[in-house]
Amino acid sequence: MDVNSSQGFPFAIIGFDLDGTLLDTSGDLAAAVNHALASIGRPALSVEAVKPMIGGGARAMLKHGLDATGGYDETTLDTLHHRLLAYYEAHLAVHTAPFPGALAALDELAARGVRLGIMTNKLERFARSILDSLGLTARFDTIIGGDTLGVAKPSPIPIQALVAQCGGGTAAFVGDSIFDVEAARAAGLPVVACSFGFLSQPVETLGADAVIDGYDALIPTLARLSPSAT
């Protein structure tokens, strides 16, 4: 008998975004942005100021940071993008940690026989390095980055690939941005939004099927969702 069916749980697969969803990466991302900004004499941004800039990939984050500190041209953006990535790769998990309750939720999902995957707009090698450093890689059946398939969220393609690589079946996605919600919707998956994430807009405006304020609410919330929600 299917473990999920026997326990009344509606999903065989749960996909997760990384930054602002499973992991609080804001301290290390802000440090990378500020390193790039400092190299051209720009003022530093606070972690709280950088949080809403996260989610669309490093280049988009840097664009927001440059806009906030005086603007940019494409040549400057290209140069600073390389500086940001080099710094970040050398300082991936200085401050990064799972959000409270995230690991317990992953444990419970795994105990129910649910297969787990990551789809992040972060470069795959960065995502894997962070998960390796935190000892989390083995928890996931697949890890897909924004560069893995040549297309990132809000495209549904990486979400569809996550489901396929986890073996197929009923699936839902958990994220914190409009990119997550749009990608999951386009892939035909119900989506849960995290109010504690790196929000660029009010969480209730994202259009998710449900919102959680902490990981203690994740599994009860998923249990109430319909696999056919779109």
Side-chain angles (χ1 to χ4, degrees):
M1 181 181 292
D2 181 79
V3 173
N4 300 311
S5 299
S6 67
Q7 296 188 2
F9 195 70
F11 300 106
I13 300 164
I14 302 296
F16 291 89
D17 175 50
L18 199 62
D19 301 88
T21 298
L22 275 179
L23 303 181
D24 185 351
T25 55
S26 58
D28 292 321
L29 288 170
V33 170
N34 286 329
H35 172 80
L37 294 176
S39 73
I40 58 167
R42 296 287 179 89
L45 298 170
S46 69
V47 173
E48 291 304 312
V50 172
K51 282 182 179 181
M53 303 175 182
I54 301 168
R59 190 178 179 90
M61 179 178 63
L62 180 58
K63 283 183 181 181
H64 291 307
L66 287 166
D67 275 336
T69 57
Y72 67 93
D73 57 46
E74 288 299 317
T75 299
T76 299
L77 178 61
D78 288 341
T79 299
L80 294 191
H81 186 216
H82 290 299
R83 290 177 188 170
L84 184 156
L85 292 177
Y87 181 90
Y88 187 54
E89 189 162 22
H91 305 84
L92 282 167
V94 177
H95 305 290
T96 291
F99 281 103
L103 299 188
L106 295 180
D107 285 343
E108 185 170 347
L109 287 168
R112 290 172 178 264
V114 177
R115 299 184 295 280
L116 307 175
I118 295 285
M119 197 287 120
T120 172
N121 280 354
K122 186 188 293 296
L123 295 174
E124 182 183 336
R125 74 178 190 273
F126 288 1
R128 288 186 177 276
S129 292
I130 292 170
L131 292 166
D132 284 347
S133 71
L134 297 175
L136 300 179
T137 304
R139 291 174 177 265
F140 301 99
D141 289 87
T142 189
I143 298 167
I144 299 173
D147 60 328
T148 304
L149 303 174
V151 63
K153 296 173 294 192
S155 169
I157 292 172
I159 303 287
Q160 292 164 337
L162 181 153
V163 175
Q165 291 176 21
C166 285
T170 55
F173 196 76
V174 183
D176 71 313
S177 76
I178 191 65
F179 304 112
D180 297 319
V181 173
E182 289 180 351
R185 287 250 182 245
L189 272 61
V191 57
V192 175
C194 302
S195 69
F196 49 84
F198 305 154
L199 301 172
S200 59
Q201 63 191 84
V203 70
E204 62 272 11
T205 69
L206 294 177
D209 294 281
V211 174
I212 58 168
D213 298 324
Y215 268 98
D216 58 333
L218 178 62
I219 291 169
T221 298
L222 288 169
R224 292 193 296 269
L225 294 181
S226 166
S228 62
T230 58

